[in-house]
Amino acid sequence: MSAILETRGLTKTFGGLTAVDDVSFALQKGELLAMIGPNGAGKSTCFNMLMGQLPPTSGAVYLDGEVITGLGPRQIWRRGVGRTFQITATYASMTVVENVQMALLSHNGEIFRVLPFAHRMHRDRALALLDMVGMAAQADRHCAVLAYGDLKRMELAIALAHDPKLLLMDEPTAGMAPRERLALMELTARIVAEQGVSVLFTEHDMDVVFGHAHRIMVLNRGALIAEGNAAEIRANPLVQDVYLGGGTVFGRAEKTDA
Amino acid sequence: MEFFVAQILTGLANASSLFLVACGLSLIFGVTRIVNFAHGSLYMLGAYIGLTLMEVLPGHFGFWGSILLAGIAVGLIGVVIEMLVLRPVYRAPELFQLVATFGVILVIQDLALLIWGPEDQLGPRAPGLRGVFRIMGEPIPKYDIVLLIITPFIALALWWMMTRTRLGVLVRAATQDREMVGALGVNQAWLFTGVFALGSALAGLGGALQLPKGGADLLMDFTILTPVFVVVVIGGMGSLPGAYLAAIIISVLNVFGVTYIPQSTLVLMFIVMIVVLMIRPYGLLGREEVAGEHGQVGEPEEPIKPASARVRAIVAVGLALLALLPLFGGNFALVLTTDILIFCLFAASLHFLLGLGGMVSFGHAAYYGGGAYVAALLVTWTETPMELAFLLAPIGAGLIAIVVGWVCLRLTGVYFAMLTLAFAQLLWSLVWQWQEVTGGDDGLVNIWPAGWLNDNTIYFYVALVFSVGGILMLRHVAHSPFGYALRAARDSKRQAEATGIDTRRVQLLAFTFAGFMGGLAGALFVFSKGSVFPNELEIVRSFDALIVVFLGGVKTLAGGVVGAGFFKGVEDVLTRFEYWRLIMGLLIIFVVVVAPEGIVGSLRRAWRHFGPGDSQDAATTKEERRL
């Protein structure tokens, strides 16, 4: 197995603050990797560097063995990385299917074309993508009237539009109802299994993380403090310390499990 | 050296009124987010009211009391305007309120004409301050010295009010986050009214204060508007110290400009503005606007669909009827319809930018007038055949748009709008002051179409073909992948960039395309009139287009064309009356208050309520999307 995404010594400092400190990890093909950590641990900064929104102070990011540090979000997307946002970013004036078609138009390099009507282009492929996330029935609805959970699913369809090899999901279930959260992660896990996409996601909901992630990384104060499968992370005294503080570790860890 | 000091002192004295008016505008914008176009009118009212009071009240007390009372009176007028005109439209789409303020401009213009008559009025000298002081041998009017001394005190008083009083705290808080201020239990309606009154009072004060220097006339509303916008933008929206600093810079610069390079004083001001904004995009002392903070107010735009066969058939019949006009309409009808067609194309090009692109340009006349001037200059100086000049005009306008767009697209929101205005004014002042080439105020004349087109009927067909063709092309692009990418960049820049869309390039291209189409309208215009004057580049021309697009409905496809057709037609009827501006202004305010979604938007809503298939879900109401 070769690593799809790899970081080596990724570091970001803002003035005197080291937000991300020498983070190195690798994401394997077909893997669903979770990055967790308390607020302010550096997850979002880390994500922004992976997506090209922030240039790292030092260190490098490799996609399929090639350096992608210094590339902008657009170039990184063109290399087959999809992303979803913590707060959904959608085209509110378009229908659901048009939102997906937009990504397909961009993928096919047809943004500057003026000839055919856009709403007829790649419609079938867009509908298939929506079907995959269970949104086909709502394809022609105005996206501004959708429920938040549906917007999240639509965003997932957009992120999958260019057949990415890697999907970065920043708190994919933030702002959703508990039942919807699990459904969305089940969907993601299924897509990983079916399409062979690799996923890196951050998450605050431990049910989601422990229920679906193949592997978990824990970030605290910018540094990677633990890595392993669900059982290993649960048993890791350092992680327990970070999340629960020192002291009565065992009883509360059980609660998180519930 | 002496001369130098004298120049600076004069500049500082001139800065006085400018500062007062500008900080009023800045305050109003900061809190209510309204770009108050009518601010110049309030300044004019201040001058006229002050003048009337000075005639009644005698002596020292009368003079200074009149200035103060003028300020208070204009403040009260501001309260009336805010409550009657602006309150009903705070929830309307972003920047829609400025249309209402434009209606106020028209109303005030005619009211002033009614009350004070058309003659320019000389301001009285301030009692006891008639002569000059000699400073280092140079004569400085005593009144200038007084102004120069009291302005810092007024500025200090304002600063004190802003930093030390409860009202000041509320105003500053509302400037940063209106919603939070509302959530903390402050009555926003009264806060807005209060701030609008204060800003208006400052404008009135500024108008009355400059009476001994400039008097009062009916053009002073627009004359002051441009430098005031420049000052507010250079200083930073919502910043009082910034406004003071910028007022001084602009005034001093102006005084020196008049002395050393009288040919380019106007140009100078805009060059300074452009340079400042390129280095400090949010003005000298302004803060960066948080994106989306006051973004899309109101409902998001509906999805669009190309016209159905039925709508197309109706449009085709309409066009066919229009094409038959020469058979039953007279010469006058032909000329009027030609004008309307050209204006529709101009408005449609702005609507493309504004509606689909979300780029609010306050200076779209730059491309319309620019296209007209490109054609006229080519014909005048190089004897280019009309057909070629006609084709080169939109290309020239498009080139102007590339340059302007490239600079302006570094900014967003109101700063973008102001910078586009600055470029349009730059072009206008160039044309105005570069007399040898452009003819200046006298314009360029004898720009007639080629012989075979030199007939009103034939030219009507030319205008019909090119205007309708242009409008259809703009509409088609809206439905094409490029139009979709443009809307994507407007709706969510974040998502667009994350899915490989180069939003800046898309927007620049759209800006250029809109400029090209504006230029085409300009070319059609210049050959239909046979002449062109600088007023085709004026701020008023830009506003004309802006107003009809907003009134037609920004969030609808047909808004620009419908608004333009409707208002150009109404205007033609109204201009036959003496006080047509009053009626037009009231009409505009009426439409704004009654139909905040514009004509087309409101028709669509009415259709949904009363028409067939009254479902709330957009998926089932396909018909109205096509409007």
Side-chain angles (χ1 to χ4, degrees):
Chain A
M1 276 220 295
S2 67
I4 288 282
L5 179 73
E6 196 182 347
T7 69
R8 283 188 209 145
L10 205 56
T11 303
K12 180 75 190 177
T13 56
F14 296 105
L17 176 81
T18 306
V20 174
D21 188 6
D22 194 22
V23 168
S24 303
F25 68 87
L27 172 67
Q28 305 301 328
K29 190 165 164 46
E31 194 177 25
L32 191 56
L33 176 62
M35 181 191 279
I36 63 170
N39 287 328
K43 302 185 297 288
S44 290
T45 309
C46 204
F47 247 70
N48 285 336
M49 286 192 285
L50 297 178
M51 270 316 293
Q53 254 120 5
L54 271 180
T57 309
S58 64
V61 183
Y62 299 85
L63 180 70
D64 249 351
E66 285 174 54
V67 183
I68 57 164
T69 17
L71 296 184
R74 291 197 302 266
Q75 289 140 310
I76 291 177
W77 181 80
R78 295 236 174 263
R79 290 179 179 228
V81 181
R83 81 165 293 177
T84 64
F85 295 91
Q86 186 176 343
I87 300 164
T88 55
T90 57
Y91 309 132
S93 72
M94 300 185 194
T95 62
V96 173
V97 69
E98 283 170 350
N99 265 271
V100 183
Q101 280 169 292
M102 202 62 245
L104 289 165
L105 286 168
S106 175
H107 179 51
N108 288 294
E110 292 162 335
I111 288 306
F112 293 100
R113 285 181 63 171
V114 290
L115 255 186
F117 284 140
H119 70 103
R120 289 189 193 146
M121 298 170 76
H122 311 293
R123 189 175 156 88
D124 293 340
R125 170 82 183 115
L127 286 176
L129 282 161
L130 286 173
D131 192 41
M132 198 187 329
V133 298
M135 288 283 293
Q138 307 199 56
D140 285 310
R141 290 188 79 193
H142 183 184
C143 115
V145 304
L146 291 190
Y148 196 67
D150 290 342
L151 281 181
K152 286 267 184 186
R153 285 196 285 164
M154 181 183 89
E155 223 185 25
L156 183 58
I158 295 173
L160 290 168
H162 65 318
D163 288 318
K165 45 193 169 195
L166 170 66
L167 204 54
L168 299 174
M169 302 172 83
D170 195 0
E171 302 211 16
T173 70
M176 292 172 80
R179 194 168 298 164
E180 281 185 311
R181 291 175 181 227
L182 285 176
L184 185 79
M185 275 332 279
E186 265 158 33
L187 176 68
T188 309
R190 206 183 70 225
I191 289 166
V192 168
E194 284 171 10
Q195 318 267 318
V197 188
S198 318
V199 176
L200 173 68
F201 70 105
T202 66
E203 190 51 71
H204 273 297
D205 186 326
M206 291 306 146
D207 287 345
V208 166
V209 173
F210 286 97
H212 293 284
H214 302 159
R215 199 154 56 92
I216 300 165
M217 295 188 291
V218 186
L219 215 57
N220 186 42
R221 293 174 184 235
L224 212 53
I225 57 163
E227 202 183 329
N229 61 30
E232 287 163 1
I233 292 296
R234 258 192 209 114
N236 188 314
L238 210 52
V239 175
Q240 293 166 353
D241 209 44
V242 163
Y243 267 90
L244 307 167
T248 55
V249 162
F250 211 78
R252 288 200 211 160
E254 288 287 283
K255 244 182 224 165
T256 337
D257 200 9
Chain B
M1 181 64 202
E2 293 79 20
F3 179 68
F4 201 73
V5 170
Q7 293 273 344
I8 289 186
L9 289 178
T10 312
L12 284 173
N14 290 348
S16 179
S17 285
L18 196 55
F19 162 69
L20 285 176
V21 183
C23 74
L25 185 72
S26 196
L27 269 177
I28 292 174
F29 173 79
V31 174
T32 64
R33 296 282 156 193
I34 288 179
V35 181
N36 183 20
F37 281 169
H39 214 65
S41 307
L42 295 168
Y43 164 79
M44 180 172 78
L45 279 181
Y48 273 114
I49 293 175
L51 201 64
T52 308
L53 287 172
M54 280 172 197
E55 281 164 12
V56 182
L57 303 172
H60 281 277
F61 176 78
F63 178 81
W64 296 104
S66 300
I67 291 179
L68 213 60
L69 283 176
I72 294 171
V74 176
L76 291 177
I77 294 172
V79 171
V80 174
I81 294 174
E82 202 272 349
M83 291 181 74
L84 290 184
V85 180
L86 296 174
R87 266 200 196 177
V89 288
Y90 278 123
R91 300 224 160 268
E94 194 180 25
L95 291 175
F96 190 67
Q97 299 89 354
L98 60 85
V99 182
T101 65
F102 191 79
V104 173
I105 293 183
L106 295 178
V107 171
I108 290 181
Q109 264 177 357
D110 263 5
L111 286 182
L113 176 66
L114 253 165
I115 299 172
W116 289 287
E119 297 85 21
D120 291 3
Q121 313 242 6
L122 269 178
R125 297 269 158 245
L129 298 169
R130 276 164 224 275
V132 293
F133 286 123
R134 293 254 159 210
I135 292 182
M136 299 163 83
E138 292 286 330
I140 312 274
K142 286 182 182 170
Y143 190 69
D144 276 15
I145 301 292
V146 172
L147 277 186
L148 200 146
I149 293 168
I150 55 176
T151 311
F153 284 102
I154 300 176
L156 263 178
L158 279 172
W159 177 81
W160 178 82
M161 196 196 73
M162 281 311 190
T163 49
R164 296 283 184 271
T165 66
R166 183 177 148 77
L167 176 70
V169 170
L170 288 182
V171 167
R172 280 185 297 138
T175 307
Q176 284 187 14
D177 194 335
R178 296 201 279 207
E179 251 174 65
M180 191 64 203
V181 172
L184 290 173
V186 175
N187 186 337
Q188 287 202 51
W190 284 108
L191 180 64
F192 281 19
T193 310
V195 168
F196 201 87
L198 179 63
S200 307
L202 287 171
L205 214 55
L209 212 51
Q210 62 81 49
L211 275 173
K213 290 167 72 72
D217 60 76
L218 288 171
L219 293 176
M220 61 193 288
D221 51 351
F222 272 104
T223 321
I224 191 89
L225 200 56
T226 324
V228 163
F229 273 141
V230 170
V231 163
V232 169
V233 171
I234 289 184
M237 287 282 200
S239 161
L240 290 188
Y244 191 44
L245 190 62
I248 289 174
I249 293 174
I250 290 297
S251 302
V252 171
L253 199 76
N254 219 15
V255 173
F256 278 100
V258 168
T259 313
Y260 294 110
I261 31 172
Q263 288 310 304
S264 41
T265 41
L266 293 167
V267 182
L268 206 62
M269 182 164 75
F270 297 109
I271 290 178
V272 169
M273 173 170 172
I274 289 162
V275 169
V276 167
L277 286 193
M278 284 186 76
I279 299 166
R280 289 192 59 92
Y282 301 97
L284 290 173
L285 299 176
R287 269 200 218 95
E288 183 171 356
E289 273 189 90
V290 183
E293 176 196 14
H294 40 81
Q296 293 257 334
V297 186
E299 290 172 37
E301 197 174 302
E302 306 268 340
I304 58 170
K305 280 277 171 334
S308 63
R310 205 177 73 186
V311 173
R312 280 177 202 202
I314 294 170
V315 171
V317 170
L319 287 176
L321 285 176
L322 203 55
L324 293 177
L325 184 72
L327 295 184
F328 52 84
N331 195 34
F332 174 76
L334 277 185
V335 172
L336 176 63
T337 314
T338 306
D339 284 357
I340 293 179
L341 282 170
I342 293 170
F343 190 59
C344 284
L345 175 60
F346 178 39
S349 72
L350 178 64
H351 179 268
F352 181 80
L353 204 59
L354 202 74
L356 295 177
M359 292 174 270
V360 182
S361 166
F362 282 180
H364 207 56
Y367 319 108
Y368 178 72
Y373 264 98
V374 166
L377 288 170
L378 283 172
V379 170
T380 308
W381 295 106
T382 64
E383 284 165 26
T384 313
M386 175 262 171
E387 294 87 344
L388 187 61
F390 182 82
L391 292 177
L392 287 175
I395 295 174
L399 288 175
I400 297 172
I402 288 189
V403 177
V404 176
W406 187 80
V407 177
C408 294
L409 280 170
R410 300 146 61 101
L411 301 176
T412 53
V414 173
Y415 284 89
F416 172 85
M418 289 297 177
L419 200 53
T420 54
L421 176 68
F423 271 104
Q425 289 297 98
L426 176 67
L427 214 59
W428 171 78
S429 41
L430 258 178
V431 167
W432 182 270
Q433 294 192 316
W434 198 5
Q435 249 168 354
E436 307 85 73
V437 175
T438 60
D441 197 13
D442 300 329
L444 294 169
V445 291
N446 275 329
I447 319 291
W448 293 110
W452 61 283
L453 295 171
N454 208 349
D455 170 270
N456 279 343
T457 309
I458 296 177
Y459 201 79
F460 165 76
Y461 283 114
V462 173
L464 183 71
V465 167
F466 279 96
S467 297
V468 173
I471 291 166
L472 289 180
M473 197 190 273
L474 284 163
R475 254 189 94 104
H476 172 80
V477 170
H479 296 293
S480 74
F482 177 64
Y484 269 60
L486 185 61
R487 279 163 67 219
R490 175 199 66 190
D491 283 357
S492 175
K493 191 171 179 168
R494 201 157 48 118
Q495 178 70 269
E497 286 280 333
T499 46
I501 299 172
D502 188 341
T503 52
R504 223 190 128 185
R505 224 170 110 195
V506 168
Q507 288 178 331
L508 182 57
L509 203 65
F511 198 91
T512 309
F513 182 53
F516 178 91
M517 284 301 180
L520 181 62
L524 282 170
F525 167 82
V526 71
F527 290 113
S528 79
K529 298 289 174 223
S531 59
V532 61
F533 299 95
N535 61 343
E536 296 313 322
L537 283 161
E538 242 173 21
I539 196 168
V540 179
R541 191 65 69 241
S542 297
F543 286 2
D544 274 350
L546 209 57
I547 302 301
V548 297
V549 169
F550 272 112
L551 287 179
V554 177
K555 294 180 174 181
T556 58
L557 276 180
V561 177
V562 171
F566 180 72
F567 278 93
K568 196 79 177 172
V570 169
E571 191 188 67
D572 179 71
V573 176
L574 285 183
T575 40
R576 293 167 200 181
F577 299 98
E578 193 181 356
Y579 293 103
W580 69 273
R581 283 189 193 86
L582 185 66
I583 308 170
M584 190 73 175
L586 290 175
L587 180 70
I588 288 175
I589 294 170
F590 177 77
V591 174
V592 164
V593 173
V594 174
E597 291 166 78
I599 297 171
V600 181
S602 298
L603 284 179
R604 187 162 70 180
R605 179 169 292 263
W607 168 273
R608 189 170 318 166
H609 272 285
F610 307 113
D614 55 334
S615 162
Q616 290 299 311
D617 195 329
T620 54
T621 49
K622 282 183 181 149
E623 202 56 43
E624 74 241 14
R625 280 187 210 158
R626 302 190 162 112
L627 283 168

